Amino acid sequence: MTTRILIADDQEDVRIGFRLILDSQPDMTVVGEAADGHSAVELARHLRPDVVLADIRMPRLDGLEVTRLLAGQTRVVVVTTFDLDEYVHTALRNGACGFLLKRSGPALLVEAVRAAMAGDTLISPQVTVRLLAHLRTPAAPSAPSALAEPLTERELEVARLVAHGRTNAEIAAELFIGSGTVKTHVANVQRKLAVANRVGIAAWAWGSGTVTGP
């Protein structure tokens, strides 16, 4: 099945470069481009792409607001030049399925799209360590016991492994369960935590103290 992608970036040369990279993949096609955030939201709702690649600094609506508006409707991967803590934190809290620096290169761009389609999350290695340190000290952490519907012990195990960046296949191998079972656990955890994706699970796990070490 071909993955349909919308590129949102105010720089034409960036859009052209991303299109060349993605259209060269046999399982991907770019279905639209937007030069500002408002157009990105309108096009996404009209074209219904599988993945939106959104720059942060765009006219009319920035990529963070685009992410917030589209999360839950489509997968959004933030791709930006700006490696700032506040951007990473807000993008992931708003439901982004990945955070990629433009300097990361074409291979990582393709990998980020594939990860989003697989229900996984790719974050540029340059920001991962700092991100986790940031999520360890949130303003108002939510304790596991504060959940309206607490996680089971198995769901907590899965949440911890998601927070450490494990894929579904890796979690299945580590816990000696099937990949389908892992997907079910991940879906249940997302529902109980009321988060849009795996990054939301990771943010909760680090922020609540469920994960405290490497």
Side-chain angles (χ1 to χ4, degrees), residues 84-102:
L84 300 176
D85 282 350
E86 61 190 276
Y87 286 164
V88 181
H89 180 73
T90 304
L92 299 180
R93 294 291 190 189
N94 282 2
C97 293
F99 190 98
L100 199 63
L101 299 178
K102 288 180 180 177

Side-chain angles (χ1 to χ4, degrees), residues 138-149:
S142 300
S145 58
L147 296 174
E149 187 179 356

Side-chain angles (χ1 to χ4, degrees), residues 101-123:
L101 299 178
K102 288 180 180 177
R103 65 176 180 269
S104 298
L108 214 56
L109 178 68
V110 171
E111 189 178 345
V113 172
R114 293 211 170 103
M117 287 301 296
D120 294 324
T121 301
L122 190 147
I123 302 173

Side-chain angles (χ1 to χ4, degrees), residues 56-155:
I56 285 184
R57 294 190 179 179
M58 292 187 291
R60 302 176 75 185
L61 283 178
D62 65 26
L64 301 175
E65 183 65 8
V66 169
T67 301
R68 187 186 69 80
L69 292 171
L70 294 180
Q73 302 175 39
T74 188
R75 303 165 182 86
V76 181
V77 176
V78 172
V79 188
T80 183
T81 304
F82 304 99
D83 182 12
L84 300 176
D85 282 350
E86 61 190 276
Y87 286 164
V88 181
H89 180 73
T90 304
L92 299 180
R93 294 291 190 189
N94 282 2
C97 293
F99 190 98
L100 199 63
L101 299 178
K102 288 180 180 177
R103 65 176 180 269
S104 298
L108 214 56
L109 178 68
V110 171
E111 189 178 345
V113 172
R114 293 211 170 103
M117 287 301 296
D120 294 324
T121 301
L122 190 147
I123 302 173
S124 283
Q126 300 98 314
V127 303
T128 300
V129 173
R130 194 180 68 250
L131 167 67
L132 295 181
H134 187 64
L135 292 176
R136 286 186 185 122
T137 56
S142 300
S145 58
L147 296 174
E149 187 179 356
L151 303 186
T152 66
E153 284 302 317
R154 179 63 88 188
E155 288 166 352

Side-chain angles (χ1 to χ4, degrees), residues 8-9 22 28 31 47 91 94 102 108 129 146 158 161 166 197:
D9 196 295
L22 299 169
M28 297 181 187
V31 296
L47 297 174
N94 282 2
K102 288 180 180 177
L108 214 56
V129 173
V158 170
L161 291 172
R166 304 288 199 277
N197 50 48

